[in-house]
Amino acid sequence: GENVEQHPSTLSVQEGDSAVIKCTYSDSASNYFPWYKQELGKGPQLIIDIRSNVGEKKDQRIAVTLNKTAKHFSLHITETQPEDSAVYFCAASGAGSQGNLIFGKGTKLSVKP
Amino acid sequence: DGGITQSPKYLFRKEGQNVTLSCEQNLNHDAMYWYRQDPGQGLRLIYYSQIVNDFQKGDIAEGYSVSREKKESFPLTVTSAQKNPTAFYLCASSIVHGAGANVLTFGAGSRLTVL
């Protein structure tokens, strides 16, 4: 079945710097790759997603890139702000996982003012 | 406002007791899910339901049970057979279930502690 690896597990940056979180997946049949942000004591919220027919997608300060050949995808946050501090999860799904999302173990991002 | 409501937010249980976590959605979504979250472990799928009166086991279903009698409701029972039930439980829903279509909306979670 699908396996998703996420790195790093923790990331600390200064306000205004960029942050990059990387994920790899094992099932070449996976075709949907969302990113979720979880603030303390809350449920995760979708912040951006990408499908396998697209290589890059941007939404203001966040962007996701996908390399299908290498089976990895990354989240990029530019001009980080303290409110970006949270746990970020990547996930993958496709026919191989019966459509279920398989999540990475999460990255705790801390943005220092 | 549409969303998912989980209750209770905090729950304490003695060993050997069954407990039921509530999940209600008013998004008119067909699919609903239960995930378990442990520190450093990400989200692991317990059960999911694609439609009323139907549900399937996820990756860690042992010791749990669910029902889907109404579209809006998907309660999770943590039974005494679950060896390590202390965790944060998340309910989610999506419009439909299928590869490439799983945009999940999550509830705020229920934290279960076994004393």
Side-chain angles (χ1 to χ4, degrees), chain A residues 16-19 60-63 76-81 84:
Chain A
D17 287 350
S18 295
Q60 299 183 336
R61 295 186 298 108
I62 60 173
H76 304 253
I77 306 174
T78 59
E79 300 173 18
T80 54
Q81 302 168 3
D84 293 330

Side-chain angles (χ1 to χ4, degrees), chain A residues 56-98:
Chain A
E56 183 177 4
K57 184 176 178 181
K58 291 182 179 180
D59 183 3
Q60 299 183 336
R61 295 186 298 108
I62 60 173
V64 57
T65 59
L66 171 65
N67 184 326
K68 287 182 61 180
T69 302
K71 289 190 284 188
H72 68 70
F73 56 112
S74 301
L75 177 71
H76 304 253
I77 306 174
T78 59
E79 300 173 18
T80 54
Q81 302 168 3
E83 51 266 38
D84 293 330
S85 296
V87 178
Y88 291 81
F89 292 97
C90 64
S93 77
S97 57
Q98 294 85 48

Side-chain angles (χ1 to χ4, degrees), chain B:
Chain B
D1 289 336
I4 297 181
T5 302
Q6 289 187 240
S7 62
K9 190 170 180 64
Y10 299 96
L11 183 62
F12 297 89
R13 184 193 98 174
K14 293 181 179 180
E15 282 192 26
Q17 290 181 336
N18 292 356
V19 293
T20 298
L21 307 181
S22 171
C23 178
E24 302 279 332
Q25 56 101 356
N26 60 3
L27 299 166
N28 199 34
H29 285 176
D30 280 331
M32 297 188 74
Y33 310 81
W34 275 104
Y35 286 89
R36 170 177 171 144
Q37 185 175 19
D38 296 284
Q41 292 297 315
L43 282 68
R44 293 181 291 169
L45 183 64
I46 305 173
Y47 267 99
Y48 66 101
S49 168
Q50 299 185 54
I51 199 166
V52 175
N53 293 323
D54 179 70
F55 49 83
Q56 286 83 40
K57 293 181 179 180
D59 299 321
I60 56 166
E62 185 176 352
Y64 299 98
S65 66
V66 293
S67 62
R68 187 84 186 278
E69 297 176 0
K70 299 186 300 181
K71 187 175 185 178
E72 301 80 17
S73 179
F74 191 41
L76 173 74
T77 297
V78 184
T79 75
S80 57
Q82 169 50 232
K83 299 301 181 186
N84 185 20
T86 295
F88 189 56
Y89 291 89
L90 286 161
C91 179
S93 69
S94 65
I95 296 174
V96 294
H97 178 83
N102 272 15
V103 178
L104 298 182
T105 299
F106 283 90
S110 293
R111 185 167 297 281
L112 172 63
T113 302
V114 174
L115 304 174

Side-chain angles (χ1 to χ4, degrees), chain A residues 11-46:
Chain A
L11 180 60
S12 182
V13 299
Q14 288 295 133
E15 183 177 0
D17 287 350
S18 295
V20 180
I21 302 171
K22 299 181 180 181
C23 289
T24 60
Y25 61 99
S26 60
D27 188 351
S28 56
S30 290
N31 57 7
Y32 175 62
F33 308 92
W35 286 88
Y36 285 82
K37 175 184 180 182
Q38 185 178 27
E39 297 177 344
L40 194 62
K42 298 183 179 180
Q45 281 194 309
L46 178 72

